[in-house]
Amino acid sequence: MSTHSVPFEQAPPGPAPYDAESALADVERRLAATQALARVGDWTLERDTARVTWSPELFRLFERPVEHGAPDINEALAYLSPESLELTRTAFWYAIDKGERCTLEQTARLPSGTTAHYVTEIMPVADAGGRVFMLYGTVQDITERKALEAERLRQLARVAELSRRLLDVGERERRQLAAALHDRASPNLAALKLIFTSLRNALPATIRGELEPLLDDAAALLADTDAGIRDICATLRPATLDYAGLAAAIREYADLVARHSDTRVQLHVDEDMNGLPAELQTLLFRIAQEALANCAKHASADRIRIELRRSGKYVTLRIADDGRGFDPERLGQAGVTPGLGLITMRERAELAGGRFTLRTAPGAGTEIEVELAPNSHRFRGNPQ
């Protein structure tokens, strides 16, 4: 009988023995790479021994050679500006006493002479009994972000200054045009009316009777043109604003709106507006002018109420109507009225450092309120 041998099959090799040290080293390398990419370092501070540890990225962030080792607590704090130093000490004790994490921004002066900005998260580590025995923190370099924020603020300030200059230029042009109309067109029209009256009286009675309808139309056209020029001058730059002040100018323009519409205008104006900077008076008049124009055009209101109050260090202008109102969420969208006028009023007030408030709803009328401080540094002009 023959026998056949069966070959012995070897079991596949098992997994390599777990090397904890290699795995830990790999995790540390990955953590260091991640921290370098995010420019985030971390540290620990033992409460009882004051022993400090730094991650490799933290050495790079603070330009400290690794061979120098982690600094002691006093060395670490010496990198910070005086303001950041006080904030950091307060945050340390808050985290220890309260057992709560906290976040703060820090400014440091680096060995190279450059200034760096960081955001630091401080987390308390407590033992089983709840006592905080160590602080753990992360530090992220936000210097580039701070530089971008500073540049953005500079650009916003530049845009705001350019906008103020444009408003000033526009106001000067309005004043010049109003003066030109008042000083040239109005006298010419007055002279033309006198000449027309003289010609009319010089005509023979029979001819004057035949031309009476045409003469009446011409006289009415002259009167309407004269009144129109006065209204244009009042809209461009009322002389009342320059010579009688804000309260009188608003009253005059409110009367003008009332004459040209079916809307009743109620005024409650403090007369004590003397001493307000000329720029502020112009600004408030322009906002009131725009608000009244909006009411007349879009609100379908029966009544407009204007309040101009001076209380303490603020001047408040409030204009409300009982018109149809609108949805403020749709302000600025295409086809929604009013739109540009309200946006312009808000921008004028906010450029001057003031507060603009809009209250409205469909069917509930509209109210705007502007609050400005006459002593703001934005008003550089002399009191009027």
Side-chain angles (χ1 to χ4, degrees):
M1 184 176 70
S2 62
T3 62
H4 299 279
S5 61
V6 179
F8 177 75
E9 295 183 0
Q10 294 183 345
Y18 179 73
D19 188 343
E21 291 186 0
S22 296
L24 180 60
D26 184 57
V27 170
E28 289 178 345
R29 282 194 298 272
R30 292 185 180 185
L31 177 61
T34 302
Q35 288 191 349
L37 183 64
R39 296 185 65 79
V40 176
D42 66 304
W43 52 265
T44 62
L45 170 62
E46 296 179 3
R47 178 178 180 179
D48 296 329
T49 64
R51 180 174 174 269
V52 177
T53 65
W54 273 18
S55 69
E57 181 61 19
L58 207 56
F59 282 90
R60 284 190 287 273
L61 292 181
F62 283 89
E63 299 180 355
R64 182 179 177 87
V66 176
E67 55 268 21
H68 288 183
D72 61 33
I73 184 60
N74 291 324
E75 283 183 288
L77 294 177
Y79 285 98
L80 304 178
S81 67
E83 296 82 2
S84 295
L85 176 60
E86 291 303 316
L87 288 174
T88 303
R89 284 174 173 164
T90 301
F92 279 172
W93 285 112
Y94 177 86
I96 291 172
D97 294 339
K98 301 292 185 179
E100 299 176 4
R101 66 188 297 169
C102 54
T103 305
L104 71 155
E105 290 190 5
Q106 299 167 312
T107 302
R109 188 73 172 174
L110 302 181
S112 63
T114 60
T115 298
H117 300 275
Y118 308 106
V119 60
T120 295
E121 289 272 352
I122 301 174
M123 288 151 282
V125 182
D127 57 22
R131 180 179 181 270
V132 174
F133 68 91
M134 184 175 71
L135 296 179
Y136 171 75
T138 61
V139 180
Q140 183 178 16
D141 188 350
I142 58 170
T143 303
E144 290 185 7
R145 191 185 81 187
K146 281 288 188 181
L148 290 174
E149 288 178 357
E151 179 61 25
R152 182 179 68 87
L153 291 176
R154 282 194 294 270
Q155 292 297 333
L156 287 175
R158 185 169 180 269
V159 170
E161 181 60 28
L162 287 174
S163 298
R164 282 192 287 271
R165 290 183 182 179
L166 285 174
L167 290 176
D168 291 343
V169 169
E171 203 61 44
R172 284 198 300 272
E173 290 179 346
R174 283 171 174 262
R175 183 183 286 109
Q176 291 169 359
L177 182 55
L181 285 172
H182 180 271
D183 296 342
R184 298 184 63 181
S186 292
N188 289 347
L189 276 173
L192 186 58
K193 284 194 290 184
L194 291 174
I195 295 172
F196 176 79
T197 301
S198 299
L199 288 173
R200 183 174 190 169
N201 294 333
L203 290 173
T206 54
I207 297 177
R208 188 166 61 245
E210 293 176 4
L211 299 178
E212 194 71 29
L214 291 176
L215 294 172
D216 289 343
D217 288 345
L221 183 60
L222 279 173
D224 183 66
T225 303
D226 187 34
I229 288 178
R230 285 199 302 269
D231 289 348
I232 291 172
C233 289
T235 301
L236 286 171
R237 177 73 188 189
T240 309
L241 181 61
D242 293 320
Y243 300 114
L246 176 62
I250 290 180
R251 182 176 291 105
E252 179 185 63
Y253 192 77
D255 291 341
L256 177 64
V257 170
R259 286 200 311 270
H260 291 278
S261 68
D262 296 328
T263 306
R264 291 181 291 112
V265 182
Q266 298 177 342
L267 285 93
H268 301 271
V269 178
D270 288 349
E271 299 297 333
D272 182 23
M273 295 294 162
N274 295 330
L276 290 182
E279 287 183 53
L280 175 57
Q281 296 198 41
T282 298
L283 173 64
L284 286 169
F285 175 77
R286 291 302 177 200
I287 292 174
Q289 183 183 48
E290 187 67 47
L292 286 168
N294 269 354
C295 292
K297 291 178 183 177
H298 308 298
S300 299
D302 295 321
R303 181 173 58 86
I304 301 172
R305 179 184 176 89
I306 303 174
E307 293 183 20
L308 181 63
R309 306 294 190 192
R310 186 173 187 177
S311 177
K313 60 181 180 179
Y314 294 103
V315 174
T316 302
L317 173 67
R318 187 179 295 109
I319 301 177
D321 66 63
D322 61 355
R324 60 189 179 186
F326 61 95
D327 181 0
E329 296 297 326
R330 299 186 62 201
L331 182 63
Q333 295 181 10
V336 177
T337 55
L340 184 59
L342 281 170
I343 294 171
T344 300
M345 285 186 274
R346 180 187 296 277
E347 289 179 347
R348 282 180 181 270
E350 292 179 351
L351 277 173
R355 181 177 60 85
F356 179 92
T357 306
L358 170 67
R359 303 180 185 94
T360 186
T366 301
E367 177 181 289
I368 68 159
E369 181 178 289
V370 176
E371 187 178 76
L372 292 160
N375 295 328
S376 170
H377 68 279
R378 291 175 173 84
F379 300 113
R380 301 174 299 276
N382 296 323
Q384 185 167 340

